Amino acid sequence: MNAPQTPPTLALRHDTEEARLVALSGDHVGQVFPLVGDALTIGRGADAQIELLADDISRAHARLARRSDGEWTVEDLGSRNGTFLNGMPLERAERLRAGDQIQLGTESLLAFVVHRDVERRVMQLQKMEAVGQLAGGIAHDLANMLNVLTATLAFIKMQVDAPRPDRGGMQESLEESDEALSRASDLTRRLLDLSRSRGDVRAFDLGESVRDTARLCRHAIGDHIALEVECAHALPVLADSNQLHQVFVNLIMNSADAIGEQRGSIHVMCRRKAIVTATSASVANVAVVEVTDDGCGMDEATRERVLEPFFTTKPSGKGTGLGLATAHNIVTRHGGSIEIESEPGDGTRFRVLLPIHDPHAADTHGSRVLVAVSGERGEAVCQALTGAGYTVALVDDGPTAVREFERAEPRFDVVVAERELPQLGGVDVLSIISRLDMDVRSVLLSAAGADGVDNKLRTLGCVAELARDGDLGELVEAVERGAGKR
Protein backbone atom coordinates (compact mmCIF):
# COMPACT_ATOMS: atom_id res chain seq x y z
CA MET A 1 0.00 0.00 0.00
CA ASN A 2 1.41 3.38 -1.02
CA ALA A 3 2.35 5.86 1.69
CA PRO A 4 -0.24 8.66 1.95
CA GLN A 5 0.66 12.01 0.41
CA THR A 6 1.23 14.84 2.87
CA PRO A 7 -1.19 17.73 2.15
CA PRO A 8 0.72 20.94 1.45
CA THR A 9 -1.21 22.72 4.19
CA LEU A 10 0.43 20.45 6.77
CA ALA A 11 4.00 21.36 5.83
CA LEU A 12 4.07 24.10 8.47
CA ARG A 13 6.44 25.05 11.22
CA HIS A 14 5.48 23.21 14.36
CA ASP A 15 5.54 24.06 18.01
CA THR A 16 7.85 21.59 19.79
CA GLU A 17 5.16 20.88 22.36
CA GLU A 18 2.82 19.73 19.58
CA ALA A 19 5.28 17.48 17.70
CA ARG A 20 4.72 13.75 18.24
CA LEU A 21 5.37 10.34 16.74
CA VAL A 22 2.40 8.02 16.22
CA ALA A 23 2.98 4.29 15.69
CA LEU A 24 1.17 3.19 12.50
CA SER A 25 2.28 -0.45 12.53
CA GLY A 26 4.30 -2.90 14.58
CA ASP A 27 3.95 -3.95 18.21
CA HIS A 28 3.10 -0.41 19.39
CA VAL A 29 0.42 0.50 16.82
CA GLY A 30 -1.72 3.44 17.96
CA GLN A 31 0.76 4.55 20.65
CA VAL A 32 1.67 8.25 20.74
CA PHE A 33 5.16 9.44 21.69
CA PRO A 34 5.38 13.17 22.58
CA LEU A 35 8.66 14.79 21.53
CA VAL A 36 9.93 16.52 24.67
CA GLY A 37 13.41 18.00 24.99
CA ASP A 38 16.05 18.68 22.36
CA ALA A 39 17.21 15.14 21.50
CA LEU A 40 15.63 11.70 21.78
CA THR A 41 16.93 8.24 20.94
CA ILE A 42 14.67 5.58 19.43
CA GLY A 43 15.74 2.03 20.25
CA ARG A 44 15.19 -1.23 22.06
CA GLY A 45 17.36 -0.41 25.05
CA ALA A 46 16.18 0.91 28.40
CA ASP A 47 18.24 4.08 27.79
CA ALA A 48 16.14 5.01 24.74
CA GLN A 49 13.66 7.83 25.31
CA ILE A 50 11.33 6.19 22.75
CA GLU A 51 11.53 2.45 23.40
CA LEU A 52 10.35 0.01 20.71
CA LEU A 53 10.45 -3.69 21.55
CA ALA A 54 10.50 -5.26 18.07
CA ASP A 55 13.32 -7.79 17.52
CA ASP A 56 14.68 -5.97 14.45
CA ILE A 57 15.19 -2.68 16.35
CA SER A 58 18.74 -1.90 17.51
CA ARG A 59 19.44 -0.77 21.08
CA ALA A 60 20.19 2.74 19.77
CA HIS A 61 18.52 2.74 16.37
CA ALA A 62 17.82 6.39 15.41
CA ARG A 63 17.97 9.87 16.91
CA LEU A 64 15.59 12.84 16.74
CA ALA A 65 17.06 16.29 17.35
CA ARG A 66 15.48 19.74 17.58
CA ARG A 67 17.33 22.47 15.73
CA SER A 68 17.69 26.04 16.94
CA ASP A 69 14.88 27.14 14.59
CA GLY A 70 12.50 24.68 16.25
CA GLU A 71 12.49 22.12 13.41
CA TRP A 72 13.12 18.42 14.07
CA THR A 73 15.57 16.15 12.26
CA VAL A 74 15.99 12.36 12.21
CA GLU A 75 19.15 10.33 11.59
CA ASP A 76 20.13 6.66 11.70
CA LEU A 77 22.61 5.63 14.39
CA GLY A 78 24.27 2.81 12.45
CA SER A 79 21.40 0.36 13.11
CA ARG A 80 21.67 -3.14 11.70
CA ASN A 81 18.34 -2.97 9.83
CA GLY A 82 18.32 0.67 8.78
CA THR A 83 16.06 3.71 9.13
CA PHE A 84 13.92 4.95 6.24
CA LEU A 85 12.20 8.30 5.74
CA ASN A 86 9.16 8.14 3.42
CA GLY A 87 10.54 4.89 1.97
CA MET A 88 14.09 6.16 1.36
CA PRO A 89 17.07 4.96 3.46
CA LEU A 90 18.58 7.61 5.71
CA GLU A 91 22.23 8.38 4.99
CA ARG A 92 22.41 11.63 6.99
CA ALA A 93 20.23 13.74 9.28
CA GLU A 94 17.09 14.85 7.45
CA ARG A 95 14.53 17.52 8.37
CA LEU A 96 11.07 16.25 9.36
CA ARG A 97 7.80 17.66 8.07
CA ALA A 98 4.34 16.93 9.42
CA GLY A 99 3.08 13.72 7.88
CA ASP A 100 6.53 12.18 7.25
CA GLN A 101 6.77 8.46 7.91
CA ILE A 102 9.78 6.93 9.64
CA GLN A 103 10.35 3.20 9.20
CA LEU A 104 12.71 1.41 11.57
CA GLY A 105 13.68 -2.10 10.52
CA THR A 106 10.99 -4.05 8.69
CA GLU A 107 7.90 -3.72 10.92
CA SER A 108 7.88 -0.46 12.90
CA LEU A 109 6.38 2.55 11.13
CA LEU A 110 6.05 5.94 12.87
CA ALA A 111 4.31 9.09 11.61
CA PHE A 112 5.64 12.53 12.55
CA VAL A 113 2.66 14.74 13.29
CA VAL A 114 1.69 18.13 14.62
CA HIS A 115 -0.64 16.29 16.95
CA ARG A 116 -3.67 18.49 17.47
CA ASP A 117 -3.88 19.76 13.91
CA VAL A 118 -3.37 16.39 12.23
CA GLU A 119 -5.73 14.59 14.59
CA ARG A 120 -8.44 17.18 13.94
CA ARG A 121 -7.97 16.84 10.18
CA VAL A 122 -8.04 13.04 10.29
CA MET A 123 -11.21 13.04 12.40
CA GLN A 124 -12.91 15.48 10.04
CA LEU A 125 -11.80 13.53 6.95
CA GLN A 126 -13.24 10.33 8.39
CA LYS A 127 -16.44 12.12 9.40
CA MET A 128 -16.84 13.36 5.81
CA GLU A 129 -16.36 9.79 4.61
CA ALA A 130 -19.09 8.56 6.98
CA VAL A 131 -21.49 11.30 5.85
CA GLY A 132 -20.71 10.39 2.24
CA GLN A 133 -21.63 6.77 2.92
CA LEU A 134 -25.00 7.86 4.28
CA ALA A 135 -25.73 10.56 1.70
CA GLY A 136 -27.26 8.43 -1.06
CA GLY A 137 -29.83 6.72 1.13
CA ILE A 138 -30.67 9.91 2.98
CA ALA A 139 -31.21 11.84 -0.27
CA HIS A 140 -33.57 9.09 -1.48
CA ASP A 141 -35.63 9.22 1.73
CA LEU A 142 -35.77 13.01 1.74
CA ALA A 143 -36.98 12.90 -1.86
CA ASN A 144 -39.77 10.54 -0.82
CA MET A 145 -40.78 12.90 1.98
CA LEU A 146 -40.80 15.87 -0.42
CA ASN A 147 -43.00 13.86 -2.79
CA VAL A 148 -45.52 13.41 0.03
CA LEU A 149 -45.54 17.16 0.67
CA THR A 150 -45.86 17.97 -3.05
CA ALA A 151 -48.78 15.58 -3.45
CA THR A 152 -50.46 16.97 -0.34
CA LEU A 153 -50.19 20.56 -1.54
CA ALA A 154 -51.57 19.61 -4.97
CA PHE A 155 -54.51 17.77 -3.38
CA ILE A 156 -55.34 20.64 -0.99
CA LYS A 157 -55.12 23.21 -3.81
CA MET A 158 -57.54 21.10 -5.86
CA GLN A 159 -59.93 20.78 -2.90
CA VAL A 160 -59.87 24.53 -2.17
CA ASP A 161 -61.18 25.18 -5.68
CA ALA A 162 -63.75 22.34 -5.54
CA PRO A 163 -67.47 23.15 -4.99
CA ARG A 164 -67.66 20.60 -2.17
CA PRO A 165 -64.16 20.19 -0.59
CA ASP A 166 -63.27 16.77 0.84
CA ARG A 167 -62.49 17.94 4.38
CA GLY A 168 -61.78 14.42 5.61
CA GLY A 169 -59.29 13.83 2.80
CA MET A 170 -57.64 17.18 3.44
CA GLN A 171 -57.24 16.38 7.13
CA GLU A 172 -55.73 12.99 6.31
CA SER A 173 -53.31 14.56 3.81
CA LEU A 174 -52.25 17.20 6.35
CA GLU A 175 -51.53 14.49 8.92
CA GLU A 176 -49.43 12.59 6.37
CA SER A 177 -47.54 15.81 5.58
CA ASP A 178 -46.96 16.50 9.26
CA GLU A 179 -45.53 12.99 9.71
CA ALA A 180 -43.27 13.44 6.67
CA LEU A 181 -42.00 16.78 8.00
CA SER A 182 -41.33 15.23 11.40
CA ARG A 183 -39.33 12.39 9.80
CA ALA A 184 -37.37 14.85 7.66
CA SER A 185 -36.61 17.04 10.68
CA ASP A 186 -35.48 14.02 12.72
CA LEU A 187 -33.29 12.80 9.86
CA THR A 188 -31.70 16.23 9.43
CA ARG A 189 -31.04 16.52 13.17
CA ARG A 190 -29.26 13.16 13.28
CA LEU A 191 -27.16 14.07 10.25
CA LEU A 192 -26.19 17.40 11.86
CA ASP A 193 -25.21 15.54 15.05
CA LEU A 194 -22.82 13.42 13.02
CA SER A 195 -21.34 16.42 11.17
CA ARG A 196 -20.42 18.34 14.33
CA SER A 197 -16.72 18.02 15.03
CA ARG A 198 -17.01 17.82 18.79
CA GLY A 199 -19.75 18.00 21.38
CA ASP A 200 -19.83 18.43 25.12
CA VAL A 201 -18.97 15.59 27.46
CA ARG A 202 -22.22 14.80 29.24
CA ALA A 203 -24.16 11.94 30.78
CA PHE A 204 -26.58 10.22 28.40
CA ASP A 205 -28.14 6.83 27.63
CA LEU A 206 -25.80 4.98 25.27
CA GLY A 207 -28.58 2.56 24.29
CA GLU A 208 -30.81 5.39 23.07
CA SER A 209 -27.88 6.92 21.18
CA VAL A 210 -27.18 3.58 19.48
CA ARG A 211 -30.84 3.25 18.47
CA ASP A 212 -30.70 6.78 17.05
CA THR A 213 -27.57 5.90 15.07
CA ALA A 214 -29.15 2.72 13.71
CA ARG A 215 -32.19 4.67 12.50
CA LEU A 216 -29.86 7.00 10.58
CA CYS A 217 -27.89 4.10 9.06
CA ARG A 218 -31.13 2.37 8.07
CA HIS A 219 -31.56 5.06 5.41
CA ALA A 220 -28.17 4.26 3.88
CA ILE A 221 -28.13 0.45 3.72
CA GLY A 222 -30.17 -1.53 1.23
CA ASP A 223 -33.41 -3.35 1.94
CA HIS A 224 -31.56 -6.66 1.43
CA ILE A 225 -29.87 -6.13 4.83
CA ALA A 226 -31.89 -6.59 8.02
CA LEU A 227 -30.79 -4.20 10.80
CA GLU A 228 -31.94 -5.10 14.31
CA VAL A 229 -31.19 -3.28 17.58
CA GLU A 230 -31.63 -4.82 21.03
CA CYS A 231 -31.18 -2.51 24.02
CA ALA A 232 -33.12 -3.83 27.01
CA HIS A 233 -31.77 -1.57 29.75
CA ALA A 234 -30.51 1.99 30.16
CA LEU A 235 -26.74 2.33 29.77
CA PRO A 236 -25.67 5.67 31.27
CA VAL A 237 -22.23 6.85 30.09
CA LEU A 238 -20.27 10.08 30.47
CA ALA A 239 -18.94 10.91 27.02
CA ASP A 240 -19.02 13.05 23.89
CA SER A 241 -22.22 11.79 22.27
CA ASN A 242 -21.29 13.13 18.83
CA GLN A 243 -18.04 11.19 18.78
CA LEU A 244 -19.65 7.94 19.95
CA HIS A 245 -22.36 8.48 17.33
CA GLN A 246 -19.54 8.47 14.77
CA VAL A 247 -18.11 5.23 16.23
CA PHE A 248 -21.33 3.28 15.73
CA VAL A 249 -21.98 4.73 12.26
CA ASN A 250 -18.53 3.41 11.33
CA LEU A 251 -19.18 -0.05 12.76
CA ILE A 252 -22.66 -0.47 11.24
CA MET A 253 -21.63 0.80 7.81
CA ASN A 254 -18.51 -1.40 7.94
CA SER A 255 -20.80 -4.39 8.56
CA ALA A 256 -22.99 -3.37 5.62
CA ASP A 257 -19.90 -3.20 3.38
CA ALA A 258 -18.84 -6.68 4.56
CA ILE A 259 -22.26 -8.09 3.54
CA GLY A 260 -22.17 -6.37 0.16
CA GLU A 261 -24.95 -7.05 -2.33
CA GLN A 262 -26.04 -10.42 -0.89
CA ARG A 263 -28.86 -10.77 1.63
CA GLY A 264 -27.68 -10.51 5.20
CA SER A 265 -28.28 -9.12 8.66
CA ILE A 266 -26.68 -6.79 11.19
CA HIS A 267 -27.56 -7.24 14.85
CA VAL A 268 -26.70 -4.54 17.39
CA MET A 269 -27.00 -5.52 21.05
CA CYS A 270 -26.45 -3.27 24.09
CA ARG A 271 -26.03 -4.64 27.60
CA ARG A 272 -24.39 -4.01 30.95
CA LYS A 273 -21.61 -6.28 32.18
CA ALA A 274 -19.52 -6.56 35.33
CA ILE A 275 -15.85 -7.20 34.57
CA VAL A 276 -13.34 -8.45 37.10
CA THR A 277 -9.87 -7.00 36.67
CA ALA A 278 -6.92 -9.23 35.87
CA THR A 279 -5.95 -9.37 39.53
CA SER A 280 -9.57 -10.04 40.60
CA ALA A 281 -9.10 -7.19 43.05
CA SER A 282 -11.91 -5.01 41.77
CA VAL A 283 -15.03 -5.11 39.61
CA ALA A 284 -15.98 -2.55 36.96
CA ASN A 285 -19.41 -2.10 35.41
CA VAL A 286 -19.17 -1.46 31.68
CA ALA A 287 -21.58 -0.80 28.84
CA VAL A 288 -21.16 -3.35 26.05
CA VAL A 289 -22.32 -2.68 22.48
CA GLU A 290 -21.91 -5.55 20.01
CA VAL A 291 -22.29 -5.07 16.26
CA THR A 292 -22.54 -8.48 14.59
CA ASP A 293 -22.90 -9.22 10.88
CA ASP A 294 -23.03 -12.34 8.71
CA GLY A 295 -20.76 -10.90 6.04
CA CYS A 296 -17.52 -12.18 4.56
CA GLY A 297 -15.54 -12.19 7.83
CA MET A 298 -11.78 -11.66 8.24
CA ASP A 299 -8.72 -13.86 8.47
CA GLU A 300 -6.24 -13.50 11.32
CA ALA A 301 -3.85 -11.25 9.39
CA THR A 302 -6.68 -8.80 8.60
CA ARG A 303 -8.01 -8.87 12.18
CA GLU A 304 -4.60 -7.91 13.52
CA ARG A 305 -4.38 -4.83 11.27
CA VAL A 306 -7.98 -3.72 10.85
CA LEU A 307 -7.69 -0.97 13.50
CA GLU A 308 -4.50 0.49 12.00
CA PRO A 309 -4.74 3.93 10.38
CA PHE A 310 -4.90 3.80 6.56
CA PHE A 311 -5.34 0.01 6.45
CA THR A 312 -8.27 -1.01 4.25
CA THR A 313 -9.40 -4.06 2.30
CA LYS A 314 -11.72 -1.97 0.11
CA PRO A 315 -10.90 -1.23 -3.55
CA SER A 316 -8.99 1.94 -4.35
CA GLY A 317 -11.23 5.00 -4.01
CA LYS A 318 -13.79 3.21 -1.85
CA GLY A 319 -12.36 4.08 1.57
CA THR A 320 -9.59 5.96 3.37
CA GLY A 321 -8.79 3.27 5.93
CA LEU A 322 -9.58 5.76 8.70
CA GLY A 323 -13.04 4.63 9.86
CA LEU A 324 -12.15 1.82 12.25
CA ALA A 325 -8.90 3.49 13.33
CA THR A 326 -10.87 6.63 14.26
CA ALA A 327 -13.47 4.55 16.10
CA HIS A 328 -10.70 2.83 18.06
CA ASN A 329 -9.11 6.18 18.92
CA ILE A 330 -12.43 7.65 20.14
CA VAL A 331 -13.29 4.61 22.27
CA THR A 332 -9.80 4.50 23.80
CA ARG A 333 -10.00 8.22 24.67
CA HIS A 334 -13.23 7.47 26.56
CA GLY A 335 -11.50 4.82 28.69
CA GLY A 336 -12.93 1.92 26.68
CA SER A 337 -11.76 -0.79 24.31
CA ILE A 338 -12.79 -2.61 21.13
CA GLU A 339 -12.71 -6.41 20.76
CA ILE A 340 -13.03 -8.25 17.44
CA GLU A 341 -14.25 -11.77 16.70
CA SER A 342 -14.21 -12.92 13.09
CA GLU A 343 -13.48 -15.86 10.82
CA PRO A 344 -13.53 -15.99 7.00
CA GLY A 345 -17.07 -16.77 5.84
CA ASP A 346 -18.53 -16.59 9.37
CA GLY A 347 -19.12 -12.87 9.76
CA THR A 348 -17.69 -10.42 12.29
CA ARG A 349 -18.53 -9.17 15.76
CA PHE A 350 -17.16 -5.83 17.00
CA ARG A 351 -17.57 -5.43 20.77
CA VAL A 352 -17.23 -1.92 22.26
CA LEU A 353 -16.76 -1.64 26.03
CA LEU A 354 -17.20 1.73 27.78
CA PRO A 355 -17.28 2.65 31.49
CA ILE A 356 -20.76 2.94 33.00
CA HIS A 357 -21.61 6.28 34.62
CA ASP A 358 -24.44 5.74 37.08
CA PRO A 359 -24.17 7.96 40.18
CA HIS A 360 -27.70 6.99 41.25
CA ALA A 361 -27.21 3.22 41.00
CA ALA A 362 -28.58 1.16 43.87
CA ASP A 363 -25.93 0.60 46.52
CA THR A 364 -25.54 -3.11 47.19
CA HIS A 365 -22.05 -2.65 48.65
CA GLY A 366 -21.84 -3.65 52.28
CA SER A 367 -24.23 -6.56 51.75
CA ARG A 368 -23.09 -9.79 53.39
CA VAL A 369 -22.37 -12.86 51.26
CA LEU A 370 -21.71 -16.42 52.45
CA VAL A 371 -19.53 -18.33 49.98
CA ALA A 372 -19.65 -22.14 50.23
CA VAL A 373 -17.13 -23.10 47.56
CA SER A 374 -14.16 -25.41 48.14
CA GLY A 375 -10.52 -25.04 47.11
CA GLU A 376 -8.80 -22.22 45.25
CA ARG A 377 -12.00 -21.36 43.39
CA GLY A 378 -13.61 -20.37 46.67
CA GLU A 379 -10.77 -17.95 47.35
CA ALA A 380 -11.11 -16.46 43.83
CA VAL A 381 -14.86 -15.97 44.33
CA CYS A 382 -14.24 -14.25 47.67
CA GLN A 383 -11.65 -11.94 46.17
CA ALA A 384 -13.97 -10.92 43.32
CA LEU A 385 -16.89 -10.21 45.66
CA THR A 386 -14.69 -8.35 48.14
CA GLY A 387 -13.40 -6.22 45.26
CA ALA A 388 -17.02 -5.42 44.41
CA GLY A 389 -17.58 -4.08 47.92
CA TYR A 390 -19.29 -7.03 49.66
CA THR A 391 -18.54 -8.39 53.13
CA VAL A 392 -17.71 -12.06 52.52
CA ALA A 393 -17.35 -15.20 54.65
CA LEU A 394 -15.86 -18.38 53.11
CA VAL A 395 -16.54 -22.00 54.09
CA ASP A 396 -15.64 -25.18 52.23
CA ASP A 397 -18.27 -27.78 53.23
CA GLY A 398 -22.04 -28.02 53.60
CA PRO A 399 -22.50 -28.46 57.38
CA THR A 400 -20.16 -25.55 58.13
CA ALA A 401 -22.14 -23.37 55.71
CA VAL A 402 -25.39 -24.09 57.59
CA ARG A 403 -23.80 -23.44 61.01
CA GLU A 404 -22.21 -20.20 59.80
CA PHE A 405 -25.55 -18.98 58.45
CA GLU A 406 -27.43 -19.89 61.65
CA ARG A 407 -25.13 -17.97 63.98
CA ALA A 408 -24.47 -14.97 61.71
CA GLU A 409 -25.72 -11.62 63.03
CA PRO A 410 -26.88 -9.83 61.00
CA ARG A 411 -27.92 -12.55 58.58
CA PHE A 412 -26.27 -12.98 55.18
CA ASP A 413 -28.07 -11.35 52.25
CA VAL A 414 -26.83 -13.79 49.58
CA VAL A 415 -25.42 -17.32 49.64
CA VAL A 416 -23.15 -18.67 46.90
CA ALA A 417 -22.90 -22.47 47.04
CA GLU A 418 -21.55 -25.14 44.71
CA ARG A 419 -23.58 -28.30 44.03
CA GLU A 420 -20.80 -30.75 44.95
CA LEU A 421 -20.02 -29.50 48.45
CA PRO A 422 -18.37 -32.10 50.76
CA GLN A 423 -20.67 -33.83 53.32
CA LEU A 424 -23.80 -31.88 52.36
CA GLY A 425 -24.59 -30.86 48.77
CA GLY A 426 -25.23 -27.29 47.71
CA VAL A 427 -28.93 -27.78 46.93
CA ASP A 428 -29.49 -29.28 50.41
CA VAL A 429 -27.63 -26.35 51.96
CA LEU A 430 -29.88 -23.86 50.14
CA SER A 431 -32.97 -25.82 51.18
CA ILE A 432 -32.04 -25.65 54.87
CA ILE A 433 -31.01 -22.00 54.71
CA SER A 434 -34.23 -20.97 52.94
CA ARG A 435 -36.22 -22.46 55.84
CA LEU A 436 -34.15 -20.40 58.26
CA ASP A 437 -34.69 -17.20 56.24
CA MET A 438 -37.30 -17.08 53.47
CA ASP A 439 -35.90 -13.78 52.15
CA VAL A 440 -32.34 -14.94 51.53
CA ARG A 441 -31.23 -15.11 47.90
CA SER A 442 -28.69 -17.53 46.49
CA VAL A 443 -26.51 -18.42 43.50
CA LEU A 444 -25.78 -22.08 42.74
CA LEU A 445 -22.54 -23.13 41.02
CA SER A 446 -22.37 -26.37 39.04
CA ALA A 447 -19.97 -27.99 36.58
CA ALA A 448 -21.66 -26.65 33.45
CA GLY A 449 -24.15 -24.10 34.79
CA ALA A 450 -27.67 -23.76 33.34
CA ASP A 451 -29.54 -21.41 31.02
CA GLY A 452 -32.20 -20.78 33.64
CA VAL A 453 -33.33 -21.69 37.15
CA ASP A 454 -35.78 -24.56 37.57
CA ASN A 455 -38.87 -24.22 39.76
CA LYS A 456 -37.36 -26.13 42.70
CA LEU A 457 -34.35 -23.82 42.91
CA ARG A 458 -36.53 -20.76 42.40
CA THR A 459 -38.59 -21.66 45.49
CA LEU A 460 -35.31 -21.74 47.44
CA GLY A 461 -34.54 -18.14 46.45
CA CYS A 462 -31.97 -19.06 43.80
CA VAL A 463 -31.50 -16.30 41.18
CA ALA A 464 -28.99 -18.07 38.90
CA GLU A 465 -27.15 -21.34 38.30
CA LEU A 466 -23.72 -20.60 36.85
CA ALA A 467 -20.68 -22.62 35.81
CA ARG A 468 -18.38 -23.13 38.79
CA ASP A 469 -15.29 -22.10 36.85
CA GLY A 470 -17.05 -19.54 34.64
CA ASP A 471 -16.80 -15.77 34.33
CA LEU A 472 -16.44 -14.13 37.76
CA GLY A 473 -18.02 -10.98 36.34
CA GLU A 474 -21.25 -12.92 35.68
CA LEU A 475 -21.14 -14.23 39.24
CA VAL A 476 -20.81 -10.69 40.62
CA GLU A 477 -23.78 -9.61 38.47
CA ALA A 478 -25.87 -12.50 39.83
CA VAL A 479 -24.97 -11.61 43.43
CA GLU A 480 -25.93 -7.97 42.71
CA ARG A 481 -29.35 -9.15 41.47
CA GLY A 482 -29.77 -11.27 44.58
CA ALA A 483 -28.75 -8.46 46.94
CA GLY A 484 -31.14 -6.09 45.18
CA LYS A 485 -34.12 -8.45 45.55
CA ARG A 486 -33.75 -9.11 49.26
Side-chain angles (χ1 to χ4, degrees):
M1 195 162 51
N2 294 330
Q5 295 286 326
T6 302
T9 52
L10 295 186
L12 306 172
R13 287 194 53 172
H14 30 77
D15 189 324
T16 51
E17 292 183 358
E18 298 296 329
R20 304 175 184 224
L21 293 181
V22 179
L24 300 180
S25 65
D27 294 338
H28 302 270
V29 62
Q31 189 168 344
V32 178
F33 303 97
L35 302 189
V36 179
D38 293 330
L40 302 96
T41 300
I42 306 174
R44 198 154 61 94
D47 294 336
Q49 288 77 36
I50 299 176
E51 187 175 8
L52 302 179
L53 302 179
D55 292 337
D56 60 351
I57 300 292
S58 299
R59 292 183 62 83
H61 197 109
R63 178 167 55 223
L64 296 168
R66 185 173 65 88
R67 303 189 317 196
S68 58
D69 61 1
E71 301 289 350
W72 283 89
T73 61
V74 60
E75 64 178 318
D76 184 71
L77 295 178
S79 64
R80 64 181 186 276
N81 292 311
T83 303
F84 303 82
L85 179 63
N86 298 325
M88 301 297 294
L90 275 176
E91 297 178 354
R92 60 181 183 275
E94 294 284 356
R95 176 190 170 196
L96 285 171
R97 292 175 174 82
D100 281 349
Q101 295 188 2
I102 305 168
Q103 180 180 333
L104 300 98
T106 59
E107 297 181 359
S108 300
L109 184 65
L110 305 174
F112 178 76
V113 300
V114 180
H115 180 68
R116 290 178 184 170
D117 189 49
V118 169
E119 180 185 74
R120 177 182 58 80
R121 290 170 184 267
V122 167
M123 291 277 285
Q124 193 62 26
L125 175 61
Q126 197 286 314
K127 196 182 295 287
M128 290 171 64
E129 180 186 4
V131 171
Q133 285 182 295
L134 299 172
I138 289 171
H140 176 75
D141 281 1
L142 284 174
N144 287 340
M145 297 168 194
L146 288 173
N147 287 338
V148 171
L149 295 174
T150 301
T152 298
L153 290 172
F155 176 75
I156 291 176
K157 182 177 180 180
M158 182 179 65
Q159 291 302 314
V160 167
D161 296 333
R164 301 178 65 181
D166 180 0
R167 296 187 178 278
M170 293 171 66
Q171 180 64 32
E172 184 178 344
S173 295
L174 287 172
E175 289 174 357
E176 290 176 355
S177 296
D178 186 59
E179 183 180 347
L181 282 170
S182 178
R183 291 201 308 271
S185 176
D186 186 55
L187 184 58
T188 304
R189 176 186 59 79
R190 288 199 293 268
L191 194 58
L192 285 172
D193 283 344
L194 178 60
S195 67
R196 292 188 179 102
S197 60
R198 189 177 294 265
D200 295 328
V201 173
R202 61 183 179 86
F204 64 95
D205 181 2
L206 182 62
E208 183 58 37
S209 177
V210 169
R211 281 189 288 267
D212 209 33
T213 302
R215 285 193 291 268
L216 180 61
C217 292
R218 175 72 272 173
H219 295 277
I221 62 180
D223 293 337
H224 63 290
I225 299 177
L227 176 58
E228 299 177 350
V229 180
E230 181 183 347
C231 297
H233 305 289
L235 294 174
V237 296
L238 186 65
D240 182 330
S241 59
N242 292 338
Q243 289 193 359
L244 292 187
H245 191 49
Q246 183 180 355
V247 168
F248 297 112
V249 166
N250 285 330
L251 295 182
I252 293 173
M253 297 307 297
N254 187 75
S255 289
D257 288 342
I259 294 171
E261 298 300 322
Q262 63 186 1
R263 297 192 70 83
S265 63
I266 302 171
H267 184 246
V268 183
M269 184 177 70
C270 311
R271 58 191 172 92
R272 181 190 292 245
K273 183 176 177 62
I275 294 182
V276 180
T277 60
T279 59
S280 296
S282 61
V283 176
N285 281 314
V286 297
V288 181
V289 180
E290 293 181 346
V291 179
T292 306
D293 65 67
D294 54 5
C296 59
M298 295 181 279
D299 58 23
E300 183 177 358
T302 303
R303 284 199 311 273
E304 289 179 352
R305 297 195 61 195
V306 73
L307 298 179
E308 292 182 14
F310 307 110
F311 176 80
T312 180
T313 59
K314 297 176 184 177
S316 178
K318 295 295 185 181
T320 60
L322 293 173
L324 294 177
T326 301
H328 181 248
N329 180 41
I330 292 171
V331 170
T332 302
R333 280 172 169 262
H334 284 82
S337 61
I338 296 182
E339 301 172 353
I340 306 172
E341 297 175 10
S342 186
E343 293 292 339
D346 287 338
T348 300
R349 173 178 291 125
F350 283 93
R351 183 180 296 111
V352 177
L353 296 90
L354 292 163
I356 284 284
H357 173 73
D358 197 355
H360 304 296
D363 183 11
T364 58
H365 294 181
S367 297
R368 291 164 52 80
V369 182
L370 175 61
V371 176
V373 179
S374 59
E376 293 182 358
R377 188 58 177 179
E379 295 177 1
V381 169
C382 281
Q383 195 169 10
L385 292 172
T386 301
Y390 294 96
T391 300
V392 182
L394 174 64
V395 298
D396 58 7
D397 64 69
T400 305
V402 174
R403 288 195 299 271
E404 186 72 18
F405 189 87
E406 282 181 313
R407 66 189 185 194
E409 187 60 41
R411 285 277 170 85
F412 290 100
D413 300 287
V414 182
V415 177
V416 178
E418 61 177 317
R419 274 189 181 272
E420 305 302 325
L421 274 173
Q423 302 179 48
L424 185 65
V427 176
D428 293 330
V429 168
L430 297 186
S431 179
I432 294 171
I433 285 176
S434 68
R435 290 197 294 271
L436 295 172
D437 185 349
M438 292 178 56
D439 293 328
V440 72
R441 296 293 181 262
S442 57
V443 178
L444 186 65
L445 304 181
S446 57
D451 292 334
V453 179
D454 61 34
N455 289 332
K456 179 182 177 181
L457 291 176
R458 193 173 290 110
T459 61
L460 302 180
C462 185
V463 298
E465 182 175 356
L466 305 176
R468 182 184 187 276
D469 297 319
D471 185 353
L472 288 172
E474 291 184 11
L475 173 59
V476 173
E477 285 182 330
V479 169
E480 286 180 352
R481 292 201 305 275
K485 290 180 178 180
R486 181 172 171 83

